[in-house]
């Protein structure tokens, strides 16, 4: 048996030595140590060895197994190295790595975050409300009569239930005042929807940023100062801003704000960016009726509100000619903001 074991070992070591790749090395391993391997079969026949020889034969078997296993492991390491070296052949490992494409924020996100940042520093807190609204929060509480054109089916997206897609973020004014007593100083960025004819400055879904400030002694100069400061923070101190008298059912007096838009190669033009005004006492009255208290006593509290078009602000900020670029997701456009 001793000779048999030695022969198996010699044979196995020879096979290992000639194995040229990992697969033939594995074949060699299975041939000797596998379930039906030569050494395994010999080990199984140890039961037939006379008692007094068993220990010696066992030792021989173990020694052979150890020698073969070590040889297998060493050869494995060598073969791996050879394979790795072959895989790298012809590759210039000193070449710089490929650049990973890093994404960037959408211009609307950038302008919204900047706007929020400025207004938060001025003490405005974030508020929100649903995009699917009811007529009370979108119109009635905002002093908008039933025959007002904004309530028309032609201008507003209605659901069969009578609910609608909010036409402006001013509904968040109402929801905030229902839930909170003065003083209030909030901003509410969000989407608004209108059945507008789509062109270079209009989409049927756009982005607004609403603001509401209610307290005692809030006055028109506060409104003007706040919004002028805001627009100059956003666009630079030399930004030209103008307030035009306007009408909104929920503010009195009301204004539209224009900023001068200058695009290279085009004549400068005024572009409307916001509506604003002093909160109409009729709005406070509607809120009190809804709250069933007198928290917004229009003899004691005053306030101002504004609603800005974030898309328009982005267009001015970066001289974007067409609002549709903001929703088309053309990478050539978006890349410019990376
Ligand atoms: N909600 C008005 C609009 O969408 C803007 C506005 C907000 C005007 C607040 C006055 C006060 O046009």
């Amino acid at each position: 048996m001793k000779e048999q074991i030695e022969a198996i070992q010699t044979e196995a070591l020879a096979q290992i030595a000639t194995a040229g790749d990992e697969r033939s090395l594995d074949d060699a391993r299975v041939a000797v140590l596998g379930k039906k391997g030569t050494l395994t079969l010999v080990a199984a026949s140890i039961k037939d060895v006379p008692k007094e020889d068993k220990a010696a034969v066992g030792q021989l078997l173990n020694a052979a197994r150890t020698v073969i296993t070590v040889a297998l492991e060493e050869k494995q390491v060598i073969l791996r190295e050879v394979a790795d070296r072959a895989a790298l052949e012809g590759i210039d490992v000193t070449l710089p790595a490929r650049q990973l494409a890093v994404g960037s924020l959408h211009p609307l996100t950038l302008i919204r975050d900047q706007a929020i940042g400025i207004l938060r520093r001025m003490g405005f807190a974030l508020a929100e409300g649903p995009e699917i609204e009811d007529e009370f929060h979108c119109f009635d509480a905002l002093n908008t009569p039933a025959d007002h054109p904004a309530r028309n089916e032609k201008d507003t997206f209605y659901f069969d239930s009578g609910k609608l897609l909010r036409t402006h973020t001013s509904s968040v004014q109402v929801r905030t005042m229902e839930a909170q007593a003065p003083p209030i100083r909030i901003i509410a960025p969000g989407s608004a929807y209108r059945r507008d004819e789509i062109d270079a400055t209009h989409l049927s879904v756009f982005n607004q940023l609403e603001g509401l400030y209610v307290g005692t002694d809030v006055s028109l100069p506060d409104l003007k100062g706040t919004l002028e400061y805001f627009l100059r923070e956003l666009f630079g101190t030399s930004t030209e801003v103008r307030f035009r008298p306007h009408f909104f059912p929920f503010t009195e007096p009301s204004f539209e704000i224009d900023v001068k838009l200058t695009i290279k190669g085009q004549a400068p033009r005024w572009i409307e960016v916001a509506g604003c005004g002093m909160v109409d006492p009729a709005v406070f009255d509607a809120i009190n009726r809804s709250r069933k208290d007198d928290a917004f006593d229009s003899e004691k509290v005053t306030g101002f509100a504004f609603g800005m078009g974030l898309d328009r602000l982005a267009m001015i900020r970066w001289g974007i000619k067409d609002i549709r670029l903001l929703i088309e997701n053309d990478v050539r456009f978006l890349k410019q903001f990376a």
Side-chain angles (χ1 to χ4, degrees):
M1 195 161 222
K2 188 175 169 224
E3 293 77 37
Q4 210 184 338
I5 294 171
E6 277 167 0
I8 289 173
Q9 179 173 327
T10 313
E11 159 85 26
L13 292 180
Q15 235 186 313
I16 291 168
T18 54
D21 55 30
E22 291 197 61
R23 171 178 287 199
S24 42
L25 185 66
D26 203 49
D27 289 345
R29 185 186 58 78
V30 172
V32 61
L33 297 179
K35 254 194 219 149
K36 289 185 185 144
T38 44
L39 199 67
T40 314
L41 293 178
V42 173
S45 62
I46 198 165
K47 57 183 189 304
D48 307 325
V49 171
K51 230 186 186 171
E52 60 275 20
D53 295 340
K54 261 195 182 141
V57 172
Q59 264 177 10
L60 269 177
L61 270 173
N62 282 339
R65 187 179 290 117
T66 308
V67 168
I68 294 168
T69 309
V70 169
L72 281 168
E73 282 168 2
E74 283 174 358
K75 186 71 189 231
Q76 169 101 10
V77 172
I78 292 167
L79 287 178
R80 282 255 162 92
E81 267 171 23
V82 171
D84 286 352
R85 230 176 291 131
L88 284 177
E89 205 134 308
I91 293 180
D92 182 355
V93 292
T94 64
L95 274 179
R98 266 192 211 128
Q99 287 274 290
L100 281 183
V102 178
S104 62
L105 293 177
H106 191 278
L108 275 174
T109 307
L110 292 171
I111 201 87
R112 188 196 59 202
D113 290 353
Q114 281 172 12
I116 291 173
I118 297 166
L119 289 157
R120 283 180 76 130
R121 285 203 297 283
M122 296 170 84
F124 287 88
L126 279 168
E128 60 181 0
E131 290 176 24
I132 297 177
E133 262 299 0
D134 49 44
E135 293 199 68
F136 176 75
H137 290 92
C138 203
F139 300 126
D140 295 311
L142 289 165
N143 195 35
T144 309
D147 59 356
H148 190 281
R151 304 184 67 148
N152 202 301
E153 293 239 345
K154 281 217 311 277
D155 292 322
T156 300
F157 295 103
Y158 282 93
F159 294 96
D160 290 340
S161 63
K163 290 209 168 189
L164 50 91
L165 289 175
R166 69 179 177 197
T167 57
H168 52 186
T169 44
S170 299
S171 51
V172 185
Q173 288 186 38
V174 178
R175 292 199 173 266
T176 306
M177 287 190 280
E178 282 178 327
Q180 257 170 264
I184 287 177
R185 207 186 293 180
I186 57 109
I187 46 173
S191 308
Y193 304 82
R194 286 179 200 170
R195 282 177 180 258
D196 268 333
E197 212 51 75
I198 293 176
D199 62 23
T201 47
H202 295 86
L203 289 172
S204 51
V205 51
F206 59 107
N207 298 276
Q208 286 195 323
L209 189 143
E210 192 78 13
L212 174 69
Y213 186 178
V214 180
T216 45
D217 302 325
V218 180
S219 66
L220 188 55
D222 295 325
L223 163 64
K224 201 154 180 276
T226 302
L227 290 177
E228 277 175 356
Y229 173 81
F230 169 79
L231 290 167
R232 296 202 167 116
E233 278 292 291
L234 198 63
F235 297 132
T237 41
S238 56
T239 306
E240 289 185 68
V241 180
R242 76 177 182 198
F243 285 68
R244 262 185 301 110
H246 196 73
F247 174 81
F248 296 105
F250 35 92
T251 46
E252 180 60 34
S254 305
F255 305 89
E256 276 188 338
I257 307 174
D258 302 333
V259 169
K260 201 178 245 178
L261 170 61
T262 350
I263 299 175
K264 251 200 217 131
Q266 283 187 12
R269 61 187 157 115
W270 291 100
I271 174 162
E272 175 210 326
V273 294
C276 65
M278 301 305 295
V279 178
D280 195 304
V283 173
F284 289 142
D285 294 344
I287 298 290
N288 285 336
R289 280 195 299 279
S290 168
R291 293 173 55 101
K292 300 188 177 51
D293 67 12
D294 210 16
F296 291 83
D297 181 348
S298 54
E299 295 294 320
K300 295 194 187 115
V301 297
T302 50
F304 67 71
F306 56 87
M308 300 190 274
L310 284 173
D311 314 75
R312 300 278 182 89
L313 295 184
M315 291 173 77
I316 293 170
R317 179 79 152 72
W318 290 291
I320 299 167
K321 286 187 199 154
D322 195 315
I323 194 171
R324 288 169 284 202
L325 285 166
L326 293 174
I327 57 164
E328 280 168 354
N329 288 333
D330 186 330
V331 178
R332 290 166 301 178
F333 170 72
L334 296 175
K335 260 189 182 163
Q336 300 174 44
F337 302 89

